[in-house]
Amino acid sequence: MTFKVVIPARYASSRLPGKPLLDIAGKPMVVRVAEQACASGAEEIVVATDHEQIREAVLSYGYEAVMTRADHASGTDRIAEVAQHQGWSDDAIVVNVQGDEPLIDPLLIGEVAHNLSSHPAASMATACHRLHDTPSILNPNIVKVVLDQQGYALYFSRAPIPYPRDAFAANQDLPEDMPVYRHIGIYAYRAGFLQAYAALMPSAIEHFESLEQLRVLWHGYKISVQVTAKAPASGVDTEADLAYVRSVVINSENLPL
């Protein structure tokens, strides 16, 4: 089974402008992400960007970069443009690895690609891990997913789903046998579906939840979900995240402070 990785890397960021270029132990963050993707066994890695400086940085480290339009509504739309630009076949598996995830586990990238390959009825695949605490299930910044018996997504939400009515009414913790899963924001697609997705009308539930994957379910497509035992590594959204990731990389590579 072969797969490709696309790394969307926009220059604009409200909290960290130029985020893909931020230095992490001597290398731009987007290059650190590409290195993790390379370790996953991907046959092709492409950074999709809207900024010439990011493209130049990626090329200088020997990775491929494609300039994309600046007005894409989502990372998925940007990846669809790359798939079309590269001329990938409809059945090619493409994994979306976010450009601000320099600590992403390479094994997870491969697992999500394999999950899609082994589920021909699915148009997409993603991942989740088990939640065990009430504050997390109540946190709207943590997206939850409910699965059917075959491991396909029934729904994604920022609300607590499934809702443990009796436990919450009694001010108790989550029941130990209740399957509550946190969605991990990594996606695999078939290249043919990427083109179909770009033509799908947005849905109301997608708008209200601010979750683009709900467009896929609303239109009747299946999303297979890989359940992993490990929580995802920290991404970079704030200065504190950046400091943490830098410390992890410095320690892992035994670099001087």
Side-chain angles (χ1 to χ4, degrees), residues 77 80 123 190-201 215 219 221:
D77 295 307
S123 299
R190 291 185 176 82
F193 175 72
L194 280 168
Q195 304 311 316
Y197 176 91
L200 294 177
M201 289 291 293
R215 185 186 312 182
H219 283 279
Y221 294 95

Side-chain angles (χ1 to χ4, degrees), residues 63-107:
Y63 292 100
E64 187 175 2
V66 170
M67 292 295 292
T68 56
R69 289 173 16 218
D71 61 347
H72 284 301
S74 70
T76 305
D77 295 307
R78 192 174 304 279
I79 291 170
E81 182 183 349
V82 171
Q84 188 172 42
H85 177 274
Q86 299 293 97
W88 291 333
S89 64
D90 285 351
D91 60 352
I93 291 177
V94 184
V95 182
N96 174 355
V97 176
Q98 297 300 315
D100 58 2
E101 299 275 353
L103 301 182
I104 191 167
D105 187 347
L107 290 176

Side-chain angles (χ1 to χ4, degrees), residues 7-207:
I7 303 169
R10 292 175 61 247
Y11 187 85
S13 171
S14 58
R15 285 182 285 189
L16 294 172
K19 183 162 62 169
L21 296 173
L22 293 175
D23 179 84
I24 296 179
K27 296 178 183 178
M29 178 159 56
V30 67
V31 172
R32 291 285 182 183
V33 178
E35 289 175 342
Q36 296 299 92
C38 187
S40 74
E43 67 168 351
E44 190 173 352
I45 300 163
V46 180
V47 173
T49 186
D50 59 356
H51 198 276
E52 180 61 27
Q53 193 174 351
I54 295 173
R55 188 186 78 88
E56 291 176 358
V58 170
L59 294 177
S60 72
Y61 281 88
Y63 292 100
E64 187 175 2
V66 170
M67 292 295 292
T68 56
R69 289 173 16 218
D71 61 347
H72 284 301
S74 70
T76 305
D77 295 307
R78 192 174 304 279
I79 291 170
E81 182 183 349
V82 171
Q84 188 172 42
H85 177 274
Q86 299 293 97
W88 291 333
S89 64
D90 285 351
D91 60 352
I93 291 177
V94 184
V95 182
N96 174 355
V97 176
Q98 297 300 315
D100 58 2
E101 299 275 353
L103 301 182
I104 191 167
D105 187 347
L107 290 176
L108 179 61
I109 299 172
E111 286 174 356
V112 172
H114 185 269
N115 184 288
L116 182 59
S117 176
S118 60
H119 290 82
S123 299
M124 284 176 54
T126 187
C128 71
H129 73 92
R130 189 80 174 262
L131 287 175
H132 298 282
D133 63 290
T134 298
S136 291
I137 190 176
L138 294 176
N139 186 344
N141 295 316
I142 293 178
V143 178
K144 277 69 68 175
V145 59
V146 173
L147 312 180
D148 69 13
Q149 63 177 343
Q150 295 178 308
Y152 293 105
L154 289 171
Y155 193 68
F156 297 85
S157 183
R158 298 180 183 279
I161 56 170
Y163 190 87
R165 185 195 64 177
D166 294 341
F168 279 4
N171 292 317
Q172 298 173 346
D173 291 332
L174 296 178
E176 289 189 6
D177 60 344
M178 189 174 116
V180 183
Y181 295 107
R182 175 183 185 173
H183 176 228
I184 301 172
I186 182 172
Y187 299 100
Y189 323 79
R190 291 185 176 82
F193 175 72
L194 280 168
Q195 304 311 316
Y197 176 91
L200 294 177
M201 289 291 293
S203 63
I205 55 173
E206 167 194 1
H207 170 72

Side-chain angles (χ1 to χ4, degrees), residues 22-25 239 241-251:
L22 293 175
D23 179 84
I24 296 179
E239 289 285 355
D241 295 335
L242 180 61
Y244 171 74
V245 168
R246 282 172 171 164
S247 69
V248 170
V249 173
I250 287 170
N251 289 332

